Amino acid sequence: MTRTDDTARQTLLRRGLALEYATLGWNVIGIVVLALAAISARSVALAGFGLDSLIEIGASTVVIWELSGTGEDRRRRALRLIGFGFGLLAVYLLVQSTWVLATGFRPHRSPLGIGWTAVTAAVMFVLAAGKTRTGTALDNPVLKTEGRVTLIDGLLAAAVLLGLVLNALAGLWWADPAAGYVLVHYALREVKEIFFGEH
């Protein structure tokens, strides 16, 4: 590896770490905001999105740990940890969506929840794109996989946002849990890719 290649790699590593720290910081703040919004609106969806933020914090921490070291064994362990995060997310979404639909639970309107999920969706899509580009340039499957975690976080934010808006404007309380089932599919697909795909 030439000095130019090493410099470019170090620049990419710094960019990857910056993206992960940005994700980590956003989600730490998000847990507080979502807790306040969920309590005031009695919203299972917002509480669940807080859990998703917690999983994203775990995934970012794993990637920061992986980027700070080297070795195939470290990389495999990091991928497995992210895979478990996807699995937890899929189980949570399945249980929450089924419970909300079965009980007919109706949350209150949540302007704070609508505002936060709208901004979060945009931020997560930008971060996911950056992680994917950086992970591809580094040929780092852990960073690319975590980019997909961040993309799913953005999709979940958009689904929760849609449910909150439909509930607020049209009283369609079931829209949010119905969207959760779509995301279960994406999360399970990532679990399958991580544990059974070729890296």
Side-chain angles (χ1 to χ4, degrees):
M1 180 181 287
T2 66
R3 181 172 296 180
T4 303
D5 290 340
D6 188 55
T7 302
R9 180 169 177 76
Q10 290 305 314
T11 300
L12 288 168
L13 281 172
R14 283 194 297 274
R15 185 189 306 160
L17 285 168
L19 288 164
E20 291 304 329
Y21 281 119
T23 306
L24 195 59
W26 185 271
N27 282 300
V28 167
I29 294 167
I31 287 176
V32 176
V33 174
L34 289 164
L36 293 171
I39 291 168
S40 66
R42 297 180 8 171
S43 169
V44 175
L46 286 170
F49 190 51
L51 176 60
D52 173 70
S53 296
L54 188 60
I55 292 170
E56 178 72 14
I57 286 170
S60 291
T61 303
V62 165
V63 176
I64 290 167
W65 169 74
E66 195 276 333
L67 289 176
S68 65
T70 57
E72 192 59 35
D73 184 56
R74 188 180 187 111
R75 184 168 285 184
R76 271 196 302 275
R77 278 187 288 164
L79 279 170
R80 281 197 297 267
L81 287 170
I82 293 172
F84 284 124
F86 268 121
L88 288 172
L89 181 58
V91 169
Y92 156 71
L93 287 169
L94 187 61
V95 171
Q96 177 207 325
S97 296
T98 302
W99 182 79
V100 170
L101 286 172
T103 61
F105 186 84
R106 289 170 170 78
H108 302 307
R109 293 186 177 112
S110 178
L112 176 60
I114 288 171
W116 181 259
T117 53
V119 176
T120 296
V123 169
M124 291 300 123
F125 291 145
V126 170
L127 288 171
K131 290 176 189 182
T132 300
R133 280 196 304 272
T134 306
T136 300
L138 281 169
D139 193 26
N140 186 306
V142 176
L143 186 56
K144 288 190 287 188
T145 298
E146 211 280 316
R148 292 195 297 270
V149 175
T150 305
L151 176 62
I152 287 179
D153 194 40
L155 291 170
L156 183 55
V160 172
L161 172 63
L162 179 62
L164 293 172
V165 168
L166 289 174
N167 180 52
L169 298 180
L172 301 177
W173 59 271
W174 48 264
D176 180 306
Y181 286 120
V182 175
L183 295 174
V184 169
H185 167 73
Y186 288 106
L188 289 176
R189 189 177 68 179
E190 292 304 324
V191 169
K192 181 180 177 183
E193 173 63 25
I194 288 169
F195 288 106
F196 305 107
E198 293 182 8
H199 298 288

